[in-house]
Amino acid sequence: MNAQTKPLYEFGPFRLDPKEHTLLRAGEAVPLTPKVFDTLLALVESGGQLVEKDELMNRVWPDAIVEERGLTQNIFLLRRVLGEDGAQAKYIETVPKRGYRFVAEINQRPNGQMDLIVQRRTSARLKIEEETDIGNWNVANAATDPSSRESKKRARKFTIAMAAAALLVVLGAAFYGLIGNRVKPGETAPRIKSIAVLPFKVLNSDDNGYLGIGLADVLITRLGNLKQISVRPTSAILRYRDREFDPVAVGREQRVDAVLEGHVHNLGERIRITVQLISVRDGSPVWAEQFDEKMRDLAAVEDAISRRLVGALALKLDAEEKQRLAKRYTDNTEAYQLYIKGRHFWNKRDEEGLRKAIATFRQAIDLDPTYALAYAGLADCYSFLGSAYFDPLPPKEDMPKAKAAAVRAVELDDTLAEAHSALAFVQGWYDLDWPGAERELKRALELNSNYATAHQRYGWYFLAMGRLDEALAEMKRAQECDPLSPVININIGGFLYYQRRYDQALEQFQKMAEIDPSFSWNPTWAGMAYLEKGDFTRAIAGFQQEKQPWEQGVWGLGVAYARSGKPAAARNILSRFQEFARQRYVSPSAFILIYTALGEKDQTFAWLEKAYEERDFDLGVLKVDPKLDPLRSDPRFTDLLRRVGLPQ
């Protein structure tokens, strides 16, 4: 029996019409996505018989591989639409571990013409929901659904007047209509102002996850160009990379209005990507589509997803935003895929990952020397290495390379916030051109006001200038963009520490321990606060948790020993650093802070000069670090502040 001859199904106040692909409640259309409608139809057509989960999934998704939670989500949405309160199965009964059964009494009657006008208007509304497009893209659902094709043919036969009337209804309510069954009469559905793009699940590939993270990262970069919506950065969603997650729970954790999740099916030379935007408010799908393209057309899929998502969110873009959203950064497919892989390695944020990312970005640049995004990625890698304690090379090895890549990216495309932010970092913390750094940071935030890294670096800029209140405010703005970032949350505690608000800093470090107990910097920073409070026992306990001998915790341990009357133990740590310094680069701060605590000023200033020569990152805290207070009355320190370009 095909859709043309199927009867109408009536149950309670509802009427289900397979022919028009519509569900009416007391004559009013109930908006459903196509797959949710198909789930309901399959259950109703079963006539009260049990439908096994596998059978149901095969009927609803005949040409796709889906996870069971997709079916569970559809059932949840149907129950909400049908008005079930969970206490009793009025329409859909769950048979544990097996499937579902439609238990309401159903009346069938011939599918005649008496409801033609109402049903066709409803069909138009649903078709707009499914097919809204601000670009001419090939979407698999629209191309393969026979009932959708048939509805199109009938809709084209409709009169111009009726089509215009239907469109007026649709254009005013397409977006809100999609989630209207979650809003009580008289209420207005809240506008989505923030989203998290989760790592895409690659279901049948051995790419080690690079495609899933890379696709999400590129989408985040694209959507970050939009002023009307806040998008969580890639660093915020990495924690979900290798584990199962509930999208709604993730959305609440990330404090966003909606979550975009996607599944990637590698079909040899083709790729199929299914995406779904889910409201965190009630778990309802705001928008869902499937894209089927050749593997070499990955960029086209990213374009399509971005444009369709903007349409689903009903965002009104200005001319510049439209241009940036539609921009193709390269026409070289292989270079694009290398860029995606490079972003995957970059997001590991360790030395091995960064080195692999550098090599991959360089390959992309070799294929397309005008690829601005690849240069921006290269700049990110080198600037991160230039400030990382784990890097065995001094800043003078990495930072000039970061600057060259950032400058080239800006030359090729002045609209990349990432490039301006990376350039600012080099200008401030390596060139000591602080005014230039501020200009670049302002430009980065003008381009992307939700770019957490730019806010973070701007906070460090204010800190270097001694403008502590502005520094903390800017870091809290970064926290709004990335609420769960361990680094940003630690930075907030660190900025309270630099303000000499040690008890409040400790409270922040405790909050950070609750967010991520495994984050290694937390006990180190807590140790610094205890150190300044004179609680050497707790300070030493915190510093002793440091894993790497060249990291801050071991420096702090040397300082704590020196201040607590154990100079021999402090000198033993100095000897360890001297040995490490023969093998690799060790930040001069390790020596500066311990020699300061020991009261050996000449040694301290010798190492401060070395830090100045090397352009060590920690020069940026000279003006505010409490551990350097014993040096502030020395003319040599005042002269150093002047040369570094910091207020005296």
Side-chain angles (χ1 to χ4, degrees):
M1 182 182 296
N2 59 37
Q4 296 293 335
T5 58
K6 284 183 178 180
L8 294 171
Y9 298 97
E10 294 179 342
F11 45 90
F14 298 96
R15 178 185 296 169
L16 184 69
D17 186 347
K19 180 180 177 182
E20 295 293 336
H21 222 66
T22 61
L23 177 68
L24 304 180
R25 180 197 287 116
E28 291 293 323
V30 179
L32 296 177
T33 59
K35 296 302 180 184
V36 174
F37 180 90
D38 291 343
T39 304
L40 177 60
L41 180 61
L43 290 171
V44 169
E45 288 181 336
S46 70
Q49 299 298 312
L50 171 68
V51 184
E52 301 281 352
K53 291 181 181 179
D54 288 344
E55 178 188 351
L56 193 52
M57 287 192 289
N58 287 334
R59 289 189 61 179
V60 176
W61 294 278
D63 301 316
I65 302 172
V66 297
E67 297 176 350
E68 186 177 311
R69 76 162 181 264
L71 176 60
T72 304
Q73 179 74 8
N74 282 4
I75 297 295
F76 167 78
L77 293 171
L78 284 174
R79 283 177 169 148
R80 293 288 297 272
V81 166
L82 298 174
E84 292 192 347
D85 59 11
Q88 183 177 2
K90 184 178 179 182
Y91 293 100
I92 301 174
E93 178 186 68
T94 299
V95 180
K97 299 183 180 181
R98 295 188 62 189
Y100 303 94
R101 179 186 291 113
F102 197 84
V103 295
E105 182 179 348
I106 302 171
N107 294 319
Q108 297 185 24
R109 70 180 184 83
N111 196 338
Q113 299 297 313
M114 59 186 304
D115 300 300
L116 183 64
I117 293 177
V118 172
Q119 291 177 1
R120 284 190 176 167
R121 184 178 62 207
T122 304
S123 177
R125 181 179 180 181
L126 290 174
K127 277 155 52 54
I128 291 291
E129 170 191 314
E130 181 182 1
E131 298 167 15
T132 296
D133 190 6
I134 58 174
N136 294 320
W137 303 99
N138 175 27
V139 181
N141 273 351
T144 59
D145 187 339
S147 63
S148 175
R149 291 198 302 269
E150 192 62 35
S151 295
K152 290 180 184 178
K153 293 177 183 178
R154 288 193 300 273
R156 282 194 291 268
K157 297 177 182 178
F158 217 62
T159 66
I160 294 177
M162 285 304 302
L167 283 174
L168 285 174
V169 174
V170 172
L171 292 176
F175 174 61
Y176 291 116
L178 184 58
I179 58 173
N181 53 333
R182 303 290 171 260
V183 182
K184 296 178 181 179
E187 291 184 353
T188 301
R191 189 172 76 83
I192 292 175
K193 298 179 181 179
S194 57
I195 66 172
V197 181
L198 300 183
F200 282 39
K201 293 291 184 67
V202 184
L203 301 181
N204 54 340
S205 175
D206 57 356
D207 67 359
N208 296 318
Y210 94 82
L211 186 59
I213 287 292
L215 286 171
D217 184 89
V218 173
L219 269 178
I220 290 167
T221 300
R222 280 177 172 271
L223 297 172
N225 292 324
L226 307 181
K227 300 172 184 176
Q228 302 172 55
I229 192 164
S230 174
V231 184
R232 293 290 176 260
T234 304
S235 57
I237 55 93
L238 290 177
R239 65 182 61 217
Y240 312 110
R241 174 172 45 195
D242 299 319
R243 62 184 175 92
E244 291 297 320
F245 48 76
D246 174 5
V248 174
V250 169
R252 289 173 181 155
E253 188 175 61
Q254 290 291 332
R255 303 172 200 171
V256 294
D257 299 324
V259 170
L260 184 74
E261 66 168 350
H263 294 81
V264 181
H265 303 266
N266 195 325
L267 306 175
E269 294 184 357
R270 299 191 68 82
I271 189 169
R272 177 176 296 160
I273 300 179
T274 304
V275 292
Q276 180 176 218
L277 185 68
I278 300 171
S279 169
V280 174
R281 178 174 177 266
D282 54 21
S284 63
V286 178
W287 165 75
E289 287 198 32
Q290 182 173 289
F291 302 82
D292 196 345
E293 292 284 353
K294 294 179 180 178
M295 185 67 177
R296 65 173 180 267
D297 292 333
L298 265 179
V301 177
E302 290 280 0
D303 291 346
I305 295 174
S306 302
R307 295 182 179 209
R308 296 292 182 111
L309 181 57
V310 167
L313 294 173
L315 301 180
K316 296 185 181 297
L317 308 185
D318 59 32
E320 182 181 355
E321 287 178 311
K322 289 179 181 177
Q323 183 179 10
R324 288 164 62 188
L325 188 70
K327 180 183 292 184
R328 286 287 188 91
Y329 292 94
T330 182
D331 291 322
N332 188 302
T333 301
E334 188 177 352
Y336 178 80
Q337 292 178 0
L338 284 166
Y339 174 77
I340 290 177
K341 183 176 287 189
R343 278 299 178 190
H344 163 71
F345 289 132
W346 145 257
N347 281 304
K348 290 181 178 294
R349 307 299 174 94
D350 57 25
E351 185 183 358
E352 181 184 7
L354 289 166
R355 298 295 178 195
K356 288 182 178 180
I358 287 170
T360 308
F361 287 138
R362 288 200 176 281
Q363 290 178 53
I365 291 168
D366 288 341
L367 291 170
D368 184 355
T370 65
Y371 197 177
L373 269 180
Y375 281 104
L378 200 60
D380 279 339
C381 292
Y382 279 122
S383 63
F384 191 95
L385 280 172
S387 63
Y389 295 127
F390 59 69
D391 185 15
L393 300 176
K396 64 182 180 182
E397 295 292 331
D398 294 317
M399 297 301 264
K401 297 174 184 176
K403 183 175 183 178
V407 167
R408 183 58 178 148
V410 171
E411 288 174 347
L412 290 168
D413 186 350
D414 184 55
T415 66
L416 292 177
E418 296 84 355
H420 287 283
S421 176
L423 182 56
F425 186 79
V426 179
Q427 287 182 323
W429 284 263
Y430 187 76
D431 292 341
L432 305 181
D433 175 11
W434 299 103
E438 185 176 26
R439 284 194 301 272
E440 292 299 324
L441 286 168
K442 285 182 175 179
R443 175 60 175 156
L445 291 171
E446 175 188 340
L447 292 166
N448 184 353
S449 62
N450 294 307
Y451 186 28
T453 299
H455 284 292
Q456 188 179 0
R457 286 172 174 167
Y458 208 5
W460 280 100
Y461 164 83
F462 285 129
L463 189 78
M465 297 297 108
R467 296 157 63 177
L468 299 180
D469 290 340
E470 292 168 278
L472 184 59
E474 197 65 32
M475 194 59 69
K476 287 184 176 180
R477 180 69 184 90
Q479 185 189 43
E480 291 174 8
C481 300
D482 190 356
L484 299 183
S485 167
V487 175
I488 291 174
N489 279 280
I490 279 291
N491 284 169
I492 287 175
F495 283 18
L496 289 166
Y497 163 83
Y498 288 126
Q499 287 185 336
R500 320 300 171 101
R501 296 158 63 182
Y502 303 123
D503 289 333
Q504 289 174 271
L506 287 167
E507 289 177 7
Q508 177 64 22
F509 299 143
Q510 179 58 40
K511 290 178 184 177
M512 181 59 231
E514 294 169 0
I515 293 173
D516 187 350
S518 65
F519 191 65
S520 62
W521 295 0
N522 203 58
T524 295
W525 274 100
M528 290 181 185
Y530 284 123
L531 184 67
E532 298 307 320
K533 284 169 63 69
D535 189 340
F536 299 122
T537 300
R538 289 186 179 180
I540 289 171
F543 293 139
Q544 285 177 334
Q545 296 183 48
E546 182 61 71
K547 304 299 183 184
Q548 299 294 339
W550 55 83
E551 293 283 8
Q552 288 176 299
V554 186
W555 314 348
L557 192 59
V559 174
Y561 285 148
R563 288 197 192 176
S564 61
K566 301 176 181 178
R571 293 186 188 281
N572 283 337
I573 290 178
L574 274 174
S575 297
R576 290 175 60 189
F577 278 119
Q578 288 165 351
E579 179 63 30
F580 281 121
R582 296 187 185 99
Q583 305 167 21
R584 47 160 293 132
Y585 178 75
V586 174
S587 171
S589 292
F591 302 94
I592 292 166
L593 297 179
I594 297 175
Y595 278 124
T596 299
L598 288 168
E600 299 183 16
K601 286 190 177 182
D602 289 342
Q603 287 281 11
T604 298
F605 279 102
W607 279 99
L608 280 169
E609 284 301 316
K610 185 172 179 60
Y612 177 73
E613 293 169 6
E614 296 285 357
R615 297 297 194 266
D616 189 78
F617 174 78
D618 287 331
L619 290 174
V621 299
L622 283 178
K623 188 171 177 62
V624 296
D625 193 343
K627 296 185 290 299
L628 299 178
D629 284 354
L631 308 176
R632 299 194 186 282
S633 61
D634 194 302
R636 291 174 290 181
F637 193 79
T638 303
D639 179 64
L640 180 62
L641 286 176
R642 178 188 58 78
R643 286 183 286 143
V644 173
L646 303 179
Q648 301 172 38

